[in-house]
Amino acid sequence: MGDKQKAVLNEGQENEMEMFGYRTVGCQKALCLAGSILSLGVLPLVFYWRPAWYVWANCVPCSLQEADTVLLRTTDEFQTYSWKKVTWVHLSTLSSTFGLTPGHPLITDEDSIINRAIQKPDLKVLNPFYIFQLFSVCLWFSEDYKEYALAIILMSIISISLTVYDLRQQSVKLHRLVEAHNSITVSVCERKSGVRQLESRFLVPGDLLILTGNKVQMPCDAILIDGNCVVDEGMLTGESIPVTKTPLPKTDSPLPWKTQSEADYKRHILFCGTEVIQTKAACSRMVRAVVVQTGFNTAKGDLVRSILYPKPMSFKLYRDAIRFLLCLVGTATIGMVYTLCVYVLSGESPEDVVKKALDVITIAVPPALPAALTTGIIYAQRRLKKRGIFCISPQRINVCGQLNLVCFDKTGTLTCDGLDLWGVVPCDRNGFQEVHSFASGKALPWGPLCAAMASCHSLILLDDTIQGDPLDLKMFEATTWEMAASEDDFHLKGVPAHAVVVKPRKSARQAPVEGIAILHQFPFSSALQRMTVIVQEMGGDRLAFMKGAPERVASFCQPETVPASFISELQIYTARGFRVIALAYKKLEADHHTSALTREKVECELVFLGLLILENRLKEETKPVLEELISARIRTVMITGDNLQTAVTVARKSGMVSESQKVILIEADETTGPSSASISWKLLEEKKHIACGNQDNYINIREEVYDNGTEGSYHFALDGKSFQVINRYFSSLLPKILINGTIFARMSPGQKSSLVEEFQKLDYFVGMCGDGANDCGALKMAHVGISLSEQEASVASPFTSKTPNIECVSHLIKEGRAALVTSFCMFKYMALYSMIQYVGVLLLYWETNSLSNYQFLFQDLAITTLIGVTMNLNGAYPKLVPFRPAGRLISPPLLLSVILNILLSLAMHIVGFVLVQKQPWYSMELHSVCTVQYQNASKLTISPTTPQKTGANGSYASFENTTVWFLGTINCIIVALVFSKGKPFRQPTYTNYIFVLVVIIQLGVCLFILFADIPDLYGRLDLLCTPTLWRVYIVVMLSSNFLVSLFVEEAVIENRALWMAIKRCFGYRSKSQYRVWQRNLANDSSWPPLNQVSYSDMPGCGRAVSYSNPVFESNEEQL
């Protein structure tokens, strides 16, 4: 660190932070201490909420070497601050105490506990909301408002108890999840004492594990160094297919072990929480692995941390809520000043003046607003759980309501997991031969192709059942061979113990070999798009077989063995939506030991064998869901590792690309000429082609000029290689391509993540739906990641669906929209409720009067609390509409709705307040206003012109009080009815039976109190008896307010056509990046270019005009 004042921690990782050095100054610290005492503890609270202020107030900047305090700031859009005291640990102390040298791994390892800062958990009780609630309760007790204070305490206790219970349930589940791998016994190999048994919780990095037997839970992250393992990683990735793990290659390279692996280093790691379902020993007769991570640093620890501390979302709804609360605080401040003026001029005691002024804050700022905003999310989460959709980050449910682009993996997501083997196309030096169809029941003749299908796979034999990838399973079953573990007689013939052996069934003796032993596997990798096995024929040759993407396999073959018609033949089948796999082989020298053969030596100079054709059907739910999303104007994008033309066909069959829309193929290549790279644009057109006796479609490249003005819309299709070249050399074109890019094929896991990030930089709200381990990065990168998995929680994504189809996507969007609208409804209602009380109380303050405790209690508990609990129970509307709800609280329609309803309530209260004073009976005694039978009520009240305290609660009974209370109480119910939104995002209000019942009962009770004339009830509520005609006037005023409010809400606020017309009138245009690019491209007659080849050194295509991606921040501007 040296003399630098700033450093970066965990650079390039998800938890990257900036660190600044500070030195404490004694005099500044003393001043802060004095301020804390004088402010009665308010200053420490402010410093707790704003850690950076604490450091800036107490310290001065200095170099990190001199610092005794460091200020940490996250590098994401939140810029969250925290601070730590610096503690120096001298290596000499460690050396003398523990015998550690400066080069010891514990000290040099950046991830060791000595080099990691441990963050203290936040004290939730010091949240500003709880502090404000505590202040309110203390104030109410001081005013003898015990009932509501006790009610708030009781509600808080119930709320906290439910929260604690819920947290306890989650904690127990998490504890079981964690404890499952802490309570097992493992075998550890030590230098001196040899192999000994050890409890897994005592493992430390560097321990050498001995893996024996099957069905072993991994208690840590470990690197496999000897033998092979088959692992179930479903708990982490959602991938139900067993994964084969291979040992780390033994090389003398000084490079870190992660970089020594050709493709994915994770294929050598046994992750904590996964289950080793089978082990296969190699030469050492033992399967060994070295511990690299334990505890929370493991993959399972990452899952637990992601559940405990989900990544925060940059969603402006919550920031807007805080801003509006501050506006309410400002309004309350105005009310405080007004209250001080009125009560000081009326000669009230200073104590009463202060209490009344502070009361205004608790009335104007509803303490329950932050909690009310989350109730919609809680109900939505419960409804999702009933549908088998689990969530580890509930705050993202609201974000689901803003999704306008969803990316889908193809295989297993849009199409079925199971594949049907359609046929195989063998080839020889004369080219491709006739298709061998397995539907006829005729067995494939013996030869290298049959041997490849029987042995080139990662299937395992577990409990006498063959398990593995469905593709491998279908291919192996087609050979009619059987699988067995090697026995003693096989071992004598040179086959290692526990090797997988495949052999022809006794009923089919067409093969001249007794069997084939699989000696070594180079497992399939999404990045490499291939797998290779080394096998030994019993009494025959040692061979290597390769299986994978046709283009990749062909590149490793001898050119003369690849038929000249390879491209056209491949195009025939991929265009029909088939999944095509190529097979190749070579003979190996038998004297080489398999462990000494590297992948590079094996995968070269192969002989091309032919194509395997598999039928991959769409899931039944795929097309309807995609059609629903497209009709709702939500973009759908396919990101797959499969062949490009297969992807195009699936996109057409699924409706992602309609029949009237064109597909433009983009191909980009790095060149060796004067330019660095080239990019070409070609139109793909469907033409009829007769193949294998059936008339079907295939894709051809059209050379004519395409007029996008007459042909309709278009979609871009490209593969991972082209995407990478464009990203590097044609960055100025990337956003233009992404605006209409729909099909991305042959994408590696890293490219999938990169593509999702690029979409986010265009201000799209991106969802990603996938089912496998190769989608994990993209699932975590997206705003909303949905994993199709049997597990309830997965580290891969915030949402996990147990139903293995994409229906969960539309359900999530519907529930997200419903939760978002519910949050807005509750926000508006709580704001209006507080403003209704605020207006009423300030009017009564004018007469130095107020509402009684029981009047407050009735409004707060019997009305508002019940409405707040039941108003949010509306389910999601079953149909997706082609527009999204507002994503911000500070949006013109919502603000206008709140302001207009506040003005309506204000006008109604003022009218009632003024009119009641002008009534002819206003100056009479109470018994002259009511009927004779209620004359005994006169002793409860006297003339309203000379108000006097009655009862122990110290409130005033007056005609103004009675009028204002009835207007405010019933208006709270009216506002709930007006703001309870139904279509188009939620179910109609009348379907919320509990809410409707509650409102009917509340209205009935209020009208009963209004017209009942029960002296004891009126006395308890501090109400005065008024003439029946005046009560009718109150009902008329409330009815008028309801009708006007309903008209304004329906005809103005919810009138989408009106707001669109206003936007057009004022020339408003969305500032979202994708909208800006869409407008620019719509006016560009030269876009898209067709039948052109551009080079990276041409003007407009190079890096000189590169598109600079800004740091992403969600822009929730409306459509």
Side-chain angles (χ1 to χ4, degrees):
M1 298 178 185
D3 296 328
K4 294 180 181 177
Q5 198 252 334
K6 175 184 173 183
V8 179
L9 296 176
N10 308 320
E11 189 168 4
Q13 298 180 29
E14 191 175 344
N15 57 343
E16 182 180 281
M17 304 178 84
E18 293 175 318
M19 181 170 63
F20 304 89
Y22 285 88
R23 186 181 71 253
T24 306
V25 178
C27 60
Q28 290 181 217
K29 191 168 184 177
L31 286 173
C32 289
L33 182 61
S36 300
I37 296 169
L38 294 173
S39 66
L40 302 178
V42 173
L43 188 60
L45 272 177
V46 173
F47 283 158
Y48 176 81
W49 295 330
R50 290 287 181 267
W53 294 3
Y54 171 84
V55 174
W56 296 334
N58 286 274
C59 311
V60 293
C62 68
S63 67
L64 287 166
Q65 195 170 14
E66 302 170 333
D68 57 17
T69 302
V70 290
L71 183 64
L72 303 171
R73 183 177 68 189
T74 60
T75 56
D76 55 17
E77 64 266 32
F78 301 100
Q79 300 280 295
T80 306
Y81 285 94
S82 60
W83 64 271
K84 302 286 178 190
K85 293 294 290 182
V86 175
T87 303
W88 291 96
V89 180
H90 295 281
L91 297 184
S92 58
T93 307
L94 287 174
S95 178
S96 59
T97 308
F98 302 105
L100 303 183
T101 62
H104 193 279
L106 187 61
I107 298 172
T108 57
D109 181 14
E110 292 181 359
D111 291 327
S112 74
I113 194 167
I114 291 177
N115 295 313
R116 295 183 83 111
I118 299 175
Q119 188 172 355
K120 292 185 294 184
D122 287 334
L123 296 175
K124 297 298 183 185
V125 290
L126 296 182
N127 184 289
F129 163 64
Y130 290 113
I131 297 297
F132 177 64
Q133 204 170 51
L134 178 64
F135 160 76
S136 302
V137 168
C138 292
L139 177 65
W140 293 329
F141 270 117
S142 70
E143 293 184 320
D144 204 25
Y145 185 22
K146 298 186 294 291
E147 295 87 351
Y148 190 55
L150 288 171
I152 288 293
I153 292 173
L154 180 63
M155 287 167 59
S156 298
I157 289 172
I158 293 172
S159 174
I160 290 169
S161 300
L162 289 173
T163 304
V164 169
Y165 175 77
D166 191 36
L167 288 173
R168 174 64 181 165
Q169 293 293 100
Q170 292 183 26
S171 177
V172 168
K173 286 180 73 174
L174 281 173
H175 181 75
R176 288 172 182 164
L177 186 70
V178 174
E179 190 63 22
H181 70 263
N182 276 341
S183 57
I184 62 176
T185 304
V186 294
S187 301
V188 178
C189 183
E190 296 182 351
R191 288 182 181 178
K192 296 179 180 178
S193 56
V195 178
R196 72 184 184 99
Q197 301 298 306
L198 187 72
E199 283 188 48
S200 55
R201 58 196 177 95
F202 295 119
L203 288 173
V204 294
D207 281 344
L208 185 63
L209 289 179
I210 307 298
L211 301 175
T212 56
N214 300 329
K215 300 282 185 180
V216 178
Q217 289 281 341
M218 281 302 296
C220 58
D221 285 354
I223 304 174
L224 191 62
I225 59 170
D226 270 322
N228 291 288
C229 291
V230 180
V231 183
D232 178 7
E233 293 187 339
M235 198 276 293
L236 295 180
T237 66
E239 183 71 74
S240 58
I241 300 166
V243 180
T244 301
K245 300 287 184 174
T246 58
L248 189 70
K250 295 178 174 61
T251 62
D252 297 326
S253 173
L255 296 173
W257 66 271
K258 285 185 180 181
T259 60
Q260 292 179 21
S261 202
E262 181 184 356
D264 188 3
Y265 68 88
K266 293 180 181 178
R267 66 184 179 180
H268 309 303
I269 299 182
L270 304 172
F271 290 108
C272 178
T274 61
E275 185 180 38
V276 179
I277 56 180
Q278 195 174 76
T279 57
K280 299 176 187 176
C283 313
S284 62
R285 301 290 179 183
M286 288 192 296
V287 178
R288 302 185 299 173
V290 177
V291 178
V292 288
Q293 298 281 16
T294 58
F296 278 103
N297 296 330
T298 64
K300 190 170 183 177
D302 190 27
L303 168 62
V304 175
R305 275 188 286 124
S306 66
I307 296 172
L308 288 172
Y309 310 105
K311 187 180 178 182
M313 287 300 300
S314 175
F315 197 49
K316 292 184 179 178
L317 169 65
Y318 308 109
R319 284 179 284 174
D320 289 348
I322 299 299
R323 290 170 187 168
F324 196 84
L325 276 176
L326 293 176
C327 292
L328 292 179
V329 170
T331 307
T333 305
I334 296 170
M336 283 179 66
V337 174
Y338 162 84
T339 304
L340 289 171
C341 294
V342 170
Y343 276 87
V344 168
L345 291 175
S346 66
E348 293 286 331
S349 66
E351 183 184 353
D352 287 339
V353 172
V354 171
K355 286 180 180 178
K356 293 293 182 185
L358 292 176
D359 257 342
V360 174
I361 298 179
T362 64
I363 292 169
V365 183
L369 179 57
L373 289 174
T374 63
T375 53
I377 298 174
I378 294 168
Y379 291 139
Q381 189 174 8
R382 288 179 181 174
R383 288 193 294 267
L384 288 171
K385 192 172 182 180
K386 288 179 182 177
R387 292 184 178 271
I389 302 171
F390 299 90
C391 176
I392 62 172
S393 180
Q395 296 300 328
R396 289 185 186 242
I397 294 176
N398 271 343
V399 185
C400 293
Q402 287 291 291
L403 289 183
N404 52 5
L405 186 149
V406 184
C407 301
F408 294 95
D409 180 34
K410 183 183 75 67
T411 307
T413 304
L414 298 176
T415 59
C416 298
D417 269 325
L419 296 166
D420 292 325
L421 194 59
W422 185 81
V424 63
V425 187
C427 79
D428 55 20
R429 294 191 178 275
N430 298 322
F432 286 105
Q433 301 173 10
E434 288 187 8
V435 176
H436 177 88
S437 175
F438 291 100
S440 62
K442 186 180 177 183
L444 186 68
W446 168 252
L449 184 59
C450 181
M453 291 176 61
S455 60
C456 191
H457 51 70
S458 56
L459 299 175
I460 62 167
L461 192 64
L462 188 65
D463 299 330
D464 297 325
T465 305
I466 301 174
Q467 296 184 11
D469 190 291
L471 185 152
D472 288 347
L473 204 55
K474 286 288 182 183
M475 180 183 72
F476 180 72
E477 287 173 352
T479 62
T480 68
W481 283 39
E482 61 184 4
M483 183 181 292
S486 61
E487 300 168 1
D488 292 338
D489 57 333
F490 286 135
H491 179 60
L492 294 173
K493 297 172 185 175
V495 178
H498 308 298
V500 173
V501 175
V502 292
K503 51 187 178 181
R505 294 182 188 273
K506 294 178 181 178
S507 58
R509 287 290 181 185
Q510 79 278 14
V513 295
E514 184 182 347
I516 299 175
I518 302 171
L519 306 181
H520 188 72
Q521 286 184 14
F522 297 105
F524 177 80
S525 163
S526 298
L528 300 177
Q529 299 175 349
R530 66 184 186 274
M531 78 164 291
T532 304
V533 294
I534 300 173
V535 303
Q536 177 70 55
E537 290 182 344
M538 298 302 177
D541 298 322
R542 181 166 294 185
L543 306 169
F545 291 109
M546 179 188 284
K547 176 190 71 180
E551 306 92 336
R552 295 292 292 160
V553 172
S555 67
F556 291 98
C557 293
Q558 301 170 23
E560 63 271 14
T561 65
V562 180
S565 59
F566 171 77
I567 299 296
S568 59
E569 191 78 12
L570 177 62
Q571 195 177 54
I572 290 170
Y573 297 106
T574 56
R576 296 171 64 185
F578 289 122
R579 186 168 183 185
V580 183
I581 303 294
L583 296 163
Y585 89 111
K586 69 181 290 188
K587 290 186 178 181
L588 298 174
E589 295 179 12
D591 56 346
H592 285 293
H593 198 279
T594 53
S595 60
L597 291 171
T598 63
R599 194 161 193 164
E600 292 77 13
K601 290 180 181 178
V602 175
E603 295 177 338
C604 62
E605 299 298 316
L606 300 172
V607 176
F608 192 80
L609 288 175
L611 301 174
L612 196 65
I613 315 297
L614 299 112
E615 194 171 11
N616 199 190
R617 296 189 182 93
L618 282 177
K619 292 181 180 177
E620 290 181 7
E621 302 83 4
T622 296
K623 192 168 185 178
V625 171
L626 291 180
E627 286 174 348
E628 184 181 20
L629 294 177
I630 292 167
S631 65
R633 294 186 182 176
I634 297 171
R635 273 192 66 187
T636 55
V637 173
M638 184 192 299
I639 312 177
T640 178
D642 208 342
N643 179 276
L644 178 62
Q645 306 222 18
T646 303
V648 171
T649 305
V650 170
R652 287 199 181 277
K653 286 183 177 179
S654 64
M656 193 176 283
V657 177
S658 68
E659 293 180 4
S660 62
Q661 294 173 322
K662 306 296 180 181
V663 177
I664 298 172
L665 174 65
I666 299 176
E667 292 179 319
D669 290 294
E670 291 186 275
T671 59
T672 54
S675 63
S676 302
S678 65
I679 183 170
S680 63
W681 318 73
K682 298 173 184 176
L683 182 65
L684 297 182
E685 184 193 29
E686 286 193 348
K687 288 187 177 181
K688 297 295 179 182
H689 182 84
I690 298 176
C692 309
N694 295 322
Q695 188 168 0
D696 217 318
N697 296 338
Y698 79 100
I699 296 175
N700 188 30
I701 294 176
R702 179 176 172 181
E703 298 297 339
E704 304 106 44
V705 177
Y706 167 50
D707 180 9
N708 63 353
T710 58
E711 294 286 342
S713 60
Y714 57 90
H715 297 265
F716 290 129
L718 61 154
D719 59 20
K721 176 187 171 188
S722 297
F723 174 75
Q724 198 162 347
V725 172
I726 292 168
N727 208 1
R728 182 176 180 184
Y729 296 103
F730 299 93
S731 52
S732 62
L733 294 175
L734 186 58
K736 295 182 180 182
I737 292 169
L738 294 183
I739 292 300
N740 287 88
T742 301
I743 302 160
F744 298 84
R746 293 292 185 224
M747 298 286 282
S748 68
Q751 289 169 342
K752 289 183 179 183
S753 302
S754 177
L755 178 61
V756 168
E757 188 177 16
E758 293 298 329
F759 276 126
Q760 289 176 332
K761 289 172 183 175
L762 290 174
D763 290 343
Y764 280 110
F765 276 83
V766 183
M768 174 71 197
C769 183
D771 72 325
N774 59 341
D775 301 316
C776 286
L779 289 168
K780 293 186 79 171
M781 180 64 68
H783 292 107
V784 177
I786 310 156
S787 174
L788 306 183
S789 168
E790 288 295 318
Q791 304 294 330
E792 283 193 17
S794 168
V795 74
S797 61
F799 295 96
T800 306
S801 172
K802 279 195 169 183
T803 308
N805 61 60
I806 64 171
E807 280 184 331
C808 58
V809 176
S810 60
H811 291 321
L812 261 178
I813 295 174
K814 289 169 190 173
E815 290 293 353
R817 290 181 172 186
L820 201 53
V821 171
T822 299
S823 296
F824 292 149
C825 291
M826 279 310 301
F827 160 78
K828 289 165 67 175
Y829 177 72
M830 296 302 293
L832 257 295
Y833 147 70
S834 63
M835 285 295 102
I836 288 168
Q837 268 197 357
Y838 176 76
V839 167
V841 168
L842 290 190
L843 283 173
L844 292 176
Y845 277 3
W846 184 256
E847 297 286 338
T848 62
N849 202 340
S850 184
L851 296 176
S852 73
N853 287 357
Y854 284 113
Q855 287 174 335
F856 273 124
L857 201 63
F858 189 90
Q859 285 186 350
D860 294 336
L861 285 183
I863 303 297
T864 307
T865 304
L866 288 176
I867 285 175
V869 171
T870 60
M871 188 180 180
N872 301 328
L873 291 172
N874 296 47
Y877 194 65
K879 183 180 179 182
L880 281 175
V881 292
F883 53 91
R884 298 173 293 163
R888 301 187 60 181
L889 287 173
I890 314 296
S891 63
L894 199 142
L895 284 179
L896 184 64
S897 173
V898 172
I899 292 168
L900 287 178
N901 278 281
I902 289 173
L903 292 176
L904 283 171
S905 297
L906 177 63
M908 183 182 67
H909 277 78
I910 291 174
V911 168
F913 186 80
V914 173
L915 280 182
V916 74
Q917 294 177 341
K918 294 188 177 181
Q919 298 303 308
W921 43 262
Y922 177 73
S923 58
M924 298 179 186
E925 295 289 340
L926 176 63
H927 60 81
S928 65
V929 175
C930 291
T931 57
V932 177
Q933 62 180 5
Y934 301 128
Q935 285 182 4
N936 60 347
S938 61
K939 53 188 170 186
L940 295 175
T941 57
I942 60 171
S943 170
T945 56
T946 57
Q948 177 180 326
K949 290 187 178 182
T950 61
N953 51 22
S955 62
Y956 294 95
S958 67
F959 290 126
E960 293 94 338
N961 173 291
T962 301
T963 301
V964 166
W965 185 80
F966 276 118
L967 289 174
T969 303
I970 299 178
N971 196 25
C972 285
I973 303 172
I974 287 171
V975 165
L977 279 171
V978 172
F979 287 163
S980 183
K981 297 286 183 255
K983 294 190 296 185
F985 302 113
R986 299 202 308 167
Q987 295 274 18
T989 303
Y990 61 78
T991 62
N992 187 350
Y993 305 116
I994 298 176
F995 172 68
V996 171
L997 182 64
V998 165
V999 167
I1000 290 172
I1001 292 172
Q1002 288 176 338
L1003 272 174
V1005 169
C1006 289
L1007 292 175
F1008 173 77
I1009 295 172
L1010 179 61
F1011 289 100
D1013 289 347
I1014 300 175
D1016 290 339
L1017 181 62
Y1018 271 44
R1020 178 65 64 181
L1021 290 173
D1022 288 296
L1023 299 173
L1024 291 185
C1025 202
T1026 57
T1028 304
L1029 184 61
W1030 179 246
R1031 304 176 200 186
V1032 173
Y1033 283 163
I1034 289 176
V1035 173
V1036 169
M1037 283 188 282
L1038 287 164
S1039 301
S1040 302
N1041 181 67
F1042 171 68
L1043 292 173
V1044 174
S1045 179
L1046 188 64
F1047 173 78
V1048 168
E1049 198 71 18
E1050 295 299 325
V1052 179
I1053 306 303
E1054 295 297 317
N1055 191 337
R1056 181 174 168 80
L1058 175 64
W1059 287 103
M1060 296 299 288
I1062 292 171
K1063 286 181 179 181
R1064 285 194 297 269
C1065 181
F1066 286 94
Y1068 171 82
R1069 290 186 170 187
S1070 173
K1071 297 175 185 175
S1072 297
Q1073 285 288 320
Y1074 72 93
R1075 288 292 190 191
V1076 174
W1077 281 104
Q1078 282 175 344
R1079 290 194 293 268
N1080 292 341
L1081 295 178
N1083 299 324
D1084 188 353
S1085 59
S1086 63
W1087 187 264
L1090 282 175
N1091 305 321
Q1092 296 181 17
V1093 179
S1094 305
Y1095 297 93
S1096 58
D1097 55 351
M1098 292 180 64
C1101 292
R1103 297 178 219 181
V1105 202
S1106 66
Y1107 160 63
S1108 62
N1109 292 322
V1111 175
F1112 174 72
E1113 182 174 350
S1114 307
N1115 187 340
E1116 295 95 348
E1117 298 289 351
Q1118 286 311 295
L1119 299 175

